[in-house]
Amino acid sequence: MLLSYKYKLRPNNQQSEKLSGWLNMLRATYNWCLRDRMDGWYQQFLCGTYCDLKTQTEIMPLTCSLVKGTQLENPWKDGGGKAKKEGEKDKSPKRSASLMQDANLINLKTSRPWYQDIDCDVLQSIPARVNEAFNKFFKGAGFPKFKRSHYFKSFAYKPGRVKIKGSKIYLPKIGWMRFFNSRNIPNGFDIRTVTIRQKADGWYVSVRIEDKAIPDFSIIPDSEIKSIIGCDMGLTKLVYLSNGETIDNPRFSTNKHIKRLMKVRQRRVNRKQKGSKNRRKAQKKVTTLHHKIQQKREAYQWWVAHKIVGLADGVAVEDLQVKNMMKRCKPVSSETGRFLPNNQSAKRGLNRSIADASWYGLTQKLEYVAVKSGKKLYRVNPQYTSQTCSKCKHIDKVSRNGEKFICTNCGHIDDANIQAARNVRIKAIESYGLTIVRKTRIRAKTVRRDSSKPVQLSIFDVNLYERLVDNKPPQKGKRLVTGNPQYKQLSLWDG
Ligand SMILES: [Zn+2]
């Protein structure tokens, strides 16, 4: 089982200075490696299949097929491409681009001795990180970017380097550091990769821990799921559940107070001179606010996820494409080429609300909590969930009117969002072939002892004491009310 625990670090002044120094150096290395790889990448479009003439590396003859990634030395593996052990075949004697950059780190350390302060594992992870970015690019992601200081905030130790003892953590080349031991690492778990990350309010560490003896969370078959709950995500309420319950949307970043506060703080940054210390201070207040909002949202979403998963064996959600929902409106232009209003300013507010609700993050948390507690999350195609009648399955756009849903076929009336949640539930049951056992809830009937039927009182004809069913016997000093015909008709004016 592989888990990830996060702690807040408590570095002393020297340590935190060292950490930020490392980040800067590592970032410089990252950007340098990236520039190298980018040059290599553009080279192939310039020189065809020939290698670069400028660098004139001696091992590469003019016609060698080039290592497209980089223009450094050391293209051959140690031992000139021979197999290191006998009997083992080394298929490619050439170093890959990232390995070449890796081998070049020695030159970096000799030319800039202060780089020797950095742990070698951490430094070596940088070319690997660039390589990963390029691999993602080859698979269709965007082209790797140079990192500015606020986009490069973390570095990682490889497994087996970091030790933890009580509330102290040992980071190689930095030393023992205190941290807030908010939860203990369970017995039998080994420490794997450890990532140090800088956030607005300090340094954090995320520790991957693994115990191979414990199997990963067992996935239960669909046949064992006896109850399921459907969720429809929204903005007025965050989640509408198929059992009729709703969960509030606190709007952490789009409520009136926070919006105003953010505006003020942002404006203060804008009014400070660029590059000044005061601007940096003001900027820090903005980032702190962002950080606070994010933490609140995370905590709330975990709470929501636990609450929903606790209700049933399975959870059904819509498979939303949030990215597409947050697209900008297409520009509308008139015949003369002028741009006409296209409602983008309204859409911008909506987009912010969608981003604030963070449906995707909530779905991920739901899945994690569900799997961890032996339950299951089902994703459902969101098509027509808000237009279908959950009673007669009639699809009509007209049925929905804002918050109300009135079926045009059978007249079924419901809250539109809860109705959508019911549809999600039904869709999940149908498309995954679940067998749901209906729980019959036995309700204890409450019987009021002292009264029979409600009596309508009117001023002119008051049958105050006319009760047909036997009640409690009248208390002392009060009139007998039943069984005696002479008291049957009493009006206010009778003595
Ligand atoms: Zn209907």
Side-chain angles (χ1 to χ4, degrees):
M1 189 196 280
L2 194 63
L3 294 169
S4 165
Y5 280 14
K6 277 180 198 161
Y7 302 100
K8 193 176 181 193
L9 288 171
R10 299 170 66 193
N12 58 30
N13 284 350
Q14 289 163 341
Q15 283 170 336
S16 67
E17 241 169 58
K18 208 170 187 180
L19 285 171
S20 20
W22 278 28
L23 265 193
N24 276 332
M25 284 193 266
L26 292 171
R27 188 169 61 88
T29 317
Y30 183 95
N31 286 338
W32 190 87
C33 288
L34 182 60
R35 160 58 66 202
D36 185 39
R37 292 288 300 262
M38 273 162 78
D39 284 348
W41 170 252
Y42 290 126
Q43 203 73 57
Q44 60 176 317
F45 305 116
L46 296 174
C47 310
T49 47
Y50 294 98
C51 64
D52 184 25
L53 298 177
K54 266 193 293 183
T55 50
Q56 294 177 341
T57 42
E58 34 183 275
I59 317 141
M60 291 189 188
L62 189 67
T63 51
C64 79
S65 63
L66 69 169
V67 177
K68 277 175 193 147
T70 173
Q71 301 165 334
L72 297 169
E73 301 162 26
N74 312 321
W76 307 109
K77 280 182 183 167
D78 291 338
K82 284 175 199 163
K84 277 180 185 173
K85 286 176 192 170
E86 278 182 25
E88 260 183 47
K89 270 193 176 177
D90 194 354
K91 278 176 187 169
S92 76
K94 257 183 187 172
R95 281 195 167 112
S96 67
S98 78
L99 283 178
M100 277 167 75
Q101 288 184 339
D102 203 321
N104 195 56
L105 288 176
I106 303 166
N107 298 349
L108 173 73
K109 278 184 181 177
T110 46
S111 62
R112 298 176 179 199
W114 55 92
Y115 271 79
Q116 283 168 4
D117 285 348
I118 301 178
D119 183 69
C120 61
D121 262 1
V122 175
L123 194 59
Q124 273 180 349
S125 68
I126 299 299
R129 215 159 135 180
V130 176
N131 193 38
E132 204 179 306
F134 261 94
N135 284 346
K136 274 183 189 164
F137 163 63
F138 296 145
K139 282 176 189 166
F143 195 78
K145 283 178 187 168
F146 291 112
K147 302 263 186 189
R148 294 178 71 183
S149 62
H150 47 272
Y151 287 110
F152 195 95
K153 289 288 184 191
S154 69
F155 59 87
Y157 284 100
K158 282 177 187 166
R161 302 293 311 280
V162 174
K163 287 178 269 183
I164 289 180
K165 211 174 189 183
S167 60
K168 277 188 173 182
I169 185 166
Y170 177 75
L171 304 171
K173 290 262 185 168
I174 290 174
W176 287 97
M177 191 187 288
R178 294 187 297 169
F179 70 99
F180 292 100
N181 194 2
S182 43
R183 57 170 165 177
N184 287 325
I185 291 172
N187 285 335
F189 275 83
D190 297 329
I191 296 170
R192 307 296 298 168
T193 314
V194 172
T195 311
I196 317 284
R197 187 167 280 116
Q198 190 183 25
K199 288 192 178 174
D201 64 339
W203 294 87
Y204 287 80
V205 62
S206 112
V207 185
R208 301 273 276 171
I209 49 173
E210 193 180 26
D211 190 352
K212 280 178 183 163
I214 304 173
D216 283 346
F217 305 111
S218 56
I219 298 162
I220 48 168
D222 287 342
S223 56
E224 275 181 32
I225 290 188
K226 299 295 174 205
S227 60
I228 189 167
I229 194 153
C231 305
D232 181 51
M233 312 266 180
L235 290 176
T236 13
K237 298 272 177 184
L238 187 61
V239 187
Y240 298 87
L241 297 171
S242 59
N243 63 359
E245 284 179 41
T246 53
I247 292 168
D248 282 339
N249 183 10
R251 290 179 167 267
F252 291 106
S253 71
T254 47
N255 68 47
K256 215 174 168 186
H257 170 69
I258 291 288
K259 260 159 105 178
R260 166 131 187 92
L261 194 63
M262 188 63 91
K263 200 175 169 186
V264 170
R265 291 196 177 176
Q266 201 75 60
R267 189 167 55 206
R268 280 182 192 160
V269 175
N270 253 0
R271 288 182 177 172
K272 304 281 186 299
Q273 203 173 13
K274 270 189 183 173
S276 67
K277 266 190 180 176
N278 279 333
R279 191 181 169 107
R280 210 186 301 157
K281 278 187 223 163
Q283 182 61 46
K284 194 165 187 194
K285 284 197 169 170
V286 175
T287 32
T288 315
L289 187 59
H290 274 298
H291 182 66
K292 233 177 198 176
I293 292 166
Q294 187 215 345
Q295 278 190 320
K296 276 183 188 170
R297 188 187 292 131
E298 291 270 300
Y300 183 72
Q301 286 192 339
W302 281 117
W303 177 79
V304 170
H306 277 280
K307 193 181 175 186
I308 294 174
V309 170
L311 293 172
D313 288 347
V315 181
V317 291
E318 287 175 305
D319 194 8
L320 295 173
Q321 296 293 318
V322 182
K323 215 176 180 182
N324 293 348
M325 293 168 79
M326 282 171 62
K327 271 185 183 161
R328 290 173 67 86
C329 296
K330 276 180 190 166
V332 184
S333 51
S334 66
E335 289 168 7
T336 51
R338 279 189 62 163
F339 286 109
L340 299 173
N342 64 344
N343 242 351
Q344 174 55 38
S345 59
K347 184 73 172 47
R348 186 176 65 170
L350 179 69
N351 284 354
R352 281 180 185 172
S353 298
I354 293 173
D356 186 22
S358 174
W359 295 323
Y360 182 73
L362 180 60
T363 316
Q364 274 189 321
K365 289 185 182 70
L366 272 174
E367 187 164 27
Y368 180 84
V369 174
V371 171
K372 205 178 171 190
S373 46
K375 293 173 180 182
K376 222 169 179 182
L377 183 91
Y378 294 96
R379 285 170 210 273
V380 169
N381 184 3
Q383 215 170 12
Y384 302 125
T385 43
S386 61
Q387 297 172 14
T388 316
C389 171
S390 60
K391 285 272 154 68
C392 70
K393 304 201 174 166
H394 177 69
I395 301 174
D396 193 352
K397 211 176 176 181
V398 189
S399 297
R400 185 177 176 157
N401 181 13
E403 299 278 294
K404 277 182 223 158
F405 185 91
I406 303 165
C407 179
T408 48
N409 188 32
C410 72
H412 169 63
I413 299 174
D414 209 337
D415 181 295
N417 290 304
I418 287 170
Q419 144 84 24
R422 290 203 178 108
N423 281 328
V424 170
R425 180 176 179 271
I426 293 165
K427 255 194 173 179
I429 294 171
E430 280 171 359
S431 53
Y432 290 92
L434 306 175
T435 46
I436 301 298
V437 181
R438 261 207 168 180
K439 275 182 197 168
T440 46
R441 202 189 280 171
I442 302 161
R443 256 190 207 166
K445 275 188 181 173
T446 49
V447 183
R448 283 184 68 182
R449 275 183 179 174
D450 57 331
S451 68
S452 53
K453 281 180 185 172
V455 184
Q456 182 68 50
L457 298 176
S458 84
I459 299 171
F460 301 106
D461 185 38
V462 188
N463 299 326
L464 269 179
Y465 299 107
E466 191 188 31
R467 288 182 179 171
L468 299 173
V469 188
D470 285 85
N471 289 327
K472 280 182 195 170
Q475 288 166 343
K476 273 180 188 175
K478 289 193 177 175
R479 280 179 282 193
L480 190 66
V481 284
T482 47
N484 201 339
Q486 73 178 62
Y487 292 111
K488 213 174 181 183
Q489 279 288 329
L490 280 174
S491 77
L492 281 176
W493 291 275
D494 286 352

